[in-house]
Amino acid sequence: MDLERSAGVLLHLTSLPGPGGIGDLGRPAHAMLNWLDRAGCSLWQFLPLTPIGRGWSPYQSRSSFAGNPLLISLEKLAEEGWLDPEDVASFPETARVDFKQIDSSKRAGLTLAAERWRSGGRPGSEHFEHWCESNRGWLEDYALYAALREAHAGKVWTEWPPEVATRAPRALAEARRKLSAAIEFHSLVQYWFYQQWESLRREAEARRIRLIGDLPIYPDHDSADVWSRPDLFKLDARGEPEYLAGVPPDYFSKTGQLWEAPVYRWERHLEDGYRWWIERVVHSAACFDAVRLDHFRGLEAFWEVPAPAETAEGGSWARGPGASLLGALRSAMGTIPIIAEDLGFITPEVVALRDAFELPGMRVLQLELEDTSSDSEARIPHVQRCVAYTGTHDNDTSQGWFGSADEAVRASTVDFLGGDGSDVVERMIRWVWSSGAGWVVAPMQDFLGLGSEARMNYPGRREGNWGWRLTHGQQTDRLADHVRQMNGETGRLVGVAG
């Protein structure tokens, strides 16, 4: 990957401001591109954009390929004639997303738009059908899964009738016949999502702004991926996970993290040449300029916890596919457009795997500063092949982190960065920007100097995450001009159109 010296912002689409109650792919997203352009930023990083699962988490998705319907702009659908302006709900602007309310409102709007499309004679159906055929590899199973899940009151697929859960051909054929309208609806929703996404991507490309996606290493158990390809996962005869994925106790959680995801049956992936993984990464590469592979270390060795379990403490390490998978991706794609999320418990073997395929890793200044014994020269590397951050969505905001750090860390941070601690976040950003890292990124919360109230995620906590939003008036032209000046002073304006 080309890590031309560049800078940008970590800001999930749901966090954009606007009257729709949640950020979306309409005017809020295009306004963000305007702001990035003015700021001289050529990187915009997101969390996963796939359909969210339990806890409204983008990392517990119901598909590795589909787009999140909550991100579709109903306003844009109204502009195209599928809704009347009064059909587009407007919500008081708040600093957090009410996911339950927005899920209901968005579904109602999308349902009405689909009805209008059908009653209008399905205009543009030739293009729609061509898109469906081009994406048949994932869309067919996803749309059927989504329709079946609705037909069974949102139950996980292992609680469906056995013949449907196990994908008996005759049962699936009957389901496709009975649920044809619902299948068409979910296909149409995905078509709208990707039409709006492509519009955003074209504008970003015109402005020479790279879009960075996020690829969770595991799909959720309750997903189209696991239901359609159970042979690729360690499941028992009932389709339940034999082992759950997660991580052992670490910096983020004293009892580790236990995810609602089965681990892979890697020998089966190897047998078919890692086809599912290749299709997944190729699909991501078609949507983004690069993707952060969450929990990269799981490719070298992964933590598996015998199911059922309450915490991740009882797990053990198992060997991952390593160079075998990455070699298959390189053979299929040439360049592997992956940023390795190599945080947490990282062994020399993980580093060797990352470096053997010349993948950029991640460095997070908050984590570096917490190690008060660390050599200051090692805190942010002088090598180009990495992406450096002040913090990530899993950390507290930098202001919140500094305010809650122990006295030794606070003193060491001030000693390292200079000043008296009153402008510590500004100094953290500037330190990262001045480093030798090819790409540098800061969460929007850090540019705004926000505290813990703006934190996006508490790893290991199942509820109350992901809801933070910008409000109007926070993202100013003055801030953009300040960021642009810093980008110019640190040599990071290269490739910016504006």
Side-chain angles (χ1 to χ4, degrees), residues 6 64 74 82 126 143 183 249-250 267 321 429 478:
S6 306
S64 295
L74 297 184
W82 309 129
E126 183 176 342
I183 291 170
D250 62 7
E267 65 275 14
I429 294 172
R478 181 179 178 182

Side-chain angles (χ1 to χ4, degrees), residues 13 25 29-30 33 44 196-204:
L13 278 171
L25 288 165
H30 289 268
L33 288 179
W44 183 5
Q196 293 186 6
W197 174 255
E198 282 304 311
S199 174
L200 185 72
R201 183 172 170 91
R202 284 193 301 270
E203 183 176 346

Side-chain angles (χ1 to χ4, degrees), residues 268-464:
R268 180 68 188 94
H269 288 262
L270 175 61
E271 288 172 6
D272 70 357
Y274 300 103
R275 179 180 174 183
W276 182 84
W277 263 92
I278 291 171
E279 291 174 349
R280 188 184 188 202
V281 177
V282 166
H283 177 80
S284 295
C287 296
F288 302 99
D289 297 287
V291 289
R292 167 190 177 271
L293 177 56
D294 187 52
H295 196 57
F296 171 81
R297 72 102 55 245
L299 298 187
E300 195 282 321
F302 57 94
W303 189 252
E304 58 178 10
V305 183
E310 294 297 322
T311 74
E313 295 169 284
S316 59
W317 291 105
R319 184 64 55 197
S324 178
L325 169 59
L326 292 176
L329 287 171
R330 186 164 62 183
S331 295
M333 303 180 68
T335 299
I336 307 174
I338 283 176
I339 299 166
E341 188 270 290
D342 51 355
L343 306 176
F345 178 65
I346 301 301
T347 64
E349 291 79 8
V350 177
V351 174
L353 178 65
R354 179 199 69 198
D355 291 348
F357 288 86
E358 300 183 317
L359 302 179
M362 291 175 56
R363 297 294 290 268
V364 178
L365 184 56
Q366 282 187 29
L367 304 184
E368 305 286 347
L369 291 171
E370 290 209 336
D371 181 4
T372 58
S373 65
S374 175
D375 185 316
S376 62
E377 290 298 311
R379 281 181 164 148
I380 290 294
H382 294 286
V383 296
Q384 189 220 17
R385 201 180 68 236
C386 82
V387 184
Y389 300 78
T390 52
T392 74
H393 65 280
D394 280 333
N395 305 100
D396 201 346
T397 67
S398 289
Q399 187 65 55
W401 166 82
F402 183 74
S404 62
D406 63 43
E407 188 174 339
V409 171
R410 287 166 59 88
S412 174
T413 296
V414 171
D415 181 63
F416 176 67
L417 295 173
D420 60 4
S422 61
D423 60 348
V424 65
V425 178
E426 172 73 14
R427 288 176 179 269
M428 287 175 69
I429 294 172
R430 187 166 288 276
W431 174 261
V432 171
W433 258 236
S434 300
S435 75
W439 289 359
V440 295
V441 176
M444 179 56 77
Q445 295 96 313
D446 285 357
F447 284 113
L448 296 169
L450 300 179
S452 299
E453 75 283 354
R455 183 169 181 167
M456 195 67 169
N457 179 46
Y458 290 81
R461 192 174 80 175
R462 297 194 175 193
E463 301 294 335

Side-chain angles (χ1 to χ4, degrees), residues 25 30 72 76-77 80 127-128 131-132 135 188-202:
L25 288 165
H30 289 268
I72 295 174
K76 291 195 76 170
L77 293 185
E80 294 168 7
H127 189 271
F128 167 61
W131 182 85
C132 290
N135 291 275
L188 184 61
V189 166
Q190 288 304 305
Y191 172 72
W192 283 333
F193 174 92
Y194 278 104
Q195 292 300 297
Q196 293 186 6
W197 174 255
E198 282 304 311
S199 174
L200 185 72
R201 183 172 170 91
R202 284 193 301 270

Side-chain angles (χ1 to χ4, degrees), residues 157 221 226-227 229-243 262-263 265:
W157 60 271
H221 175 244
V226 180
W227 171 66
R229 291 300 307 272
D231 58 310
L232 299 180
F233 302 87
K234 290 186 178 181
L235 307 177
D236 63 21
R238 297 171 298 129
E240 299 291 346
E242 293 180 326
Y243 295 89
V263 298
R265 196 179 299 278

Side-chain angles (χ1 to χ4, degrees), residues 60-197:
Q60 292 186 294
S61 177
R62 306 211 187 282
S63 170
S64 295
F65 298 85
N68 182 358
L70 299 186
L71 299 177
I72 295 174
S73 168
L74 297 184
E75 187 178 44
K76 291 195 76 170
L77 293 185
E79 291 172 1
E80 294 168 7
W82 309 129
L83 294 170
D84 293 329
E86 56 269 24
D87 297 326
V88 181
S90 181
F91 298 90
E93 190 162 44
T94 61
R96 297 197 66 80
V97 178
D98 183 337
F99 282 104
K100 187 174 182 180
Q101 181 185 46
I102 298 304
D103 185 54
S104 175
S105 172
K106 191 78 71 163
R107 175 58 190 249
L110 292 172
T111 299
L112 180 58
E115 289 172 354
R116 295 264 178 85
W117 179 77
R118 291 191 188 103
S119 64
R122 293 176 167 79
S125 60
E126 183 176 342
H127 189 271
F128 167 61
E129 290 168 5
H130 175 75
W131 182 85
C132 290
E133 183 60 32
S134 298
N135 291 275
R136 183 180 179 184
W138 63 267
L139 180 64
E140 188 175 76
D141 282 322
Y142 170 74
L144 177 57
Y145 161 84
L148 283 165
R149 195 172 185 279
E150 286 180 349
H152 294 96
K155 293 180 180 178
V156 63
W157 60 271
T158 49
E159 298 178 15
W160 300 349
E163 63 274 13
V164 179
T166 58
R167 297 177 59 84
R170 183 172 296 178
L172 292 191
E174 179 65 9
R176 290 189 182 98
R177 185 185 65 80
K178 286 185 176 180
L179 301 175
S180 59
I183 291 170
E184 182 184 66
F185 168 76
H186 288 290
S187 299
L188 184 61
V189 166
Q190 288 304 305
Y191 172 72
W192 283 333
F193 174 92
Y194 278 104
Q195 292 300 297
Q196 293 186 6
W197 174 255

